[in-house]
Amino acid sequence: MHIPENYLSPQTCAVMYAAAAPAWVISARRIRAELPKEKIPMMGVAAAFSFLGMMFNVPLPGGTTGHAVGGTLIAMLLGPYASCIAVSVALLLQALLFGDGGILSFGANCFNMAFVLPFAGYFFTTMIVKLLDKKQHSDWRQASLRCRLIGGAIGSYIGINAAAFCAAVEFGIQPMLFRDSAGNALYCPYGLNISIPAMMVGHLTIFGLAEVLFTVLIYAFVAKAAPDMSVAPAAEKKTKSNRAVQILLAVLIVATPIGLLAEGTAWGEWGTDEIAATGAGYTPAGMKGGFEWKALLPDYSFEGLPDAAGYILSAVIGVALLIIFFKLLSGLGKKAKTA
Amino acid sequence: MNLQLMKILSRLLETEAGRDEDRKLPVLPWVRILLAVLTIFLCALSRNAVFTYGVLAVELLHLSLLTTGQVGRVMKRLALPVLFTALITLPAVFLGSPATCLTVTLKVTESVLVLLLMNEDLSWKEITGAFGALHFPDLFVLVLDQTVRFLVLLGRYSDEILEAVTLRMVGGLQERISKEDEGRRLSHHARQHNFGGILGTTFLRARRMSAASYEAMECRGFDGTYRTYRKRTFHWYDGAYLGIGAVLIILFAFCERAMGK
């Protein structure tokens, strides 16, 4: 679902940045007001889960791939506002360092995966939990684990499909709005009649299932092994719960090369040299001469290193940087409060 | 109070005072130092980006496992050398060799990060003790040990002198200084007019203190050799740490050979 560079027009990108900006601002304010300072490092861990989830590519028959995002998972653990910021930072790291997702299209990617997905997912999760909760607790987090897992499964499924639909619309309106004199699309060449079915088929089936499994399995693990990650303020000392989460992250890092088994490129993530062969018959002019960002570690690979080793190394760097970033943020937040 | 001087002193002391006994690394200090020096040495020699990135990834992972305070401290100290290196190698980008800027900056980041992480794991006493265990000349260890002690002691002493001089100047300069910036100007004038005197007094005091310190050490039986009285036996995790060093050397050789092909 990462929209690459030059698939969306600069005008669309500007609009999407404008749409995502209020989400960032409001989320940042709400986090500062509501989230305990001790929980901010947990946002780094949550962002790391999202980052790793997006590295596990899942194949779809037909040659395309997709991935889970984990936005609803983070929303269930730390709230939708924390999820918005955590996923945004993970997407920024992916775009800048690994070239996964464009810089100009960063606003669109954040709107879809960091705003629509977690908020829609969280809304439906809490709604389902409240419907299923026989004891009618005031806080949905006090409901039984079974209710929360069912709610999370349905909420995450709806969330990822809502995000995929938004991405499909963003792709599909490009040929309608931006054409050259010959009538060829300047950016994404596939209209809504193609982009919506193409994106939704995968996400309504396998990718949606991947998101459900990712959310449910990790939430269940955290609820059992590290319950203080979401409920009580997390302590910095190495308790067993911190250790359990660290072990889970380590396992996921080591398992990331599984994502390499899925061959093929995700729909809408082809390179400029691949798009003509996908059925468009031509390379849109806006893509040929568009903005290009030279990432440090493109496609999570290192020259001279086997793909699997490169994937693991990229996962280590990504996870470490995310955790460090949010720990630094937590430290800044503490200083601002005491000043 | 000279706030800037106190900030410098507090930085020297904060890594010692803030150290939690439970979080101390159980590995022998000399093993830790040896591994750090080996890592820096191999990274400096490496011509292969894979090795550099690999070591950087491990160091970043290590940093991410530290507490918020430690992460903040390390990143604050890392920022200046990295930014400085990036700035001075920036012309390479415009001269058609961007890889040079990146490589040099990465290696500096790595080297400084290794040292900062080592500093977080070990106290100053452990570091000087480790130099003794690694059979560095005793004079070297003595100078290192005394340097930090006297930095703190003389820093406090010179701060007290500066405060005394500032207070003595209040009456003489009052008519020349406006009320709004009185404190700042007083302190600034005190520094300007009395800097040489404060330095000279501190130097004389340092001479007297070092002589007295050495006489006291001689009375207690110090004969110039540094002995470690609290000896710890070599454990399996010390061996594991040395094993990491061996793995590093093998990886380095493998990466260099792969690049040679």
Side-chain angles (χ1 to χ4, degrees), chain A residues 140-158:
Chain A
W140 70 273
R141 277 181 283 252
Q142 291 169 328
S144 67
L145 181 62
R146 190 171 155 272
C147 289
R148 283 182 277 150
L149 289 176
I150 295 171
I154 297 170
S156 62
Y157 182 78
I158 295 173

Side-chain angles (χ1 to χ4, degrees), chain A residues 110-151:
Chain A
C110 283
F111 180 81
N112 300 334
M113 288 186 273
F115 171 60
V116 170
L117 195 159
F119 281 89
Y122 185 75
F123 173 76
F124 283 101
T125 298
T126 52
M127 192 177 79
I128 303 289
V129 170
K130 280 174 183 165
L131 283 171
L132 295 174
D133 185 15
K134 288 175 188 164
K135 290 184 184 170
Q136 290 297 307
H137 293 97
S138 56
D139 187 346
W140 70 273
R141 277 181 283 252
Q142 291 169 328
S144 67
L145 181 62
R146 190 171 155 272
C147 289
R148 283 182 277 150
L149 289 176
I150 295 171

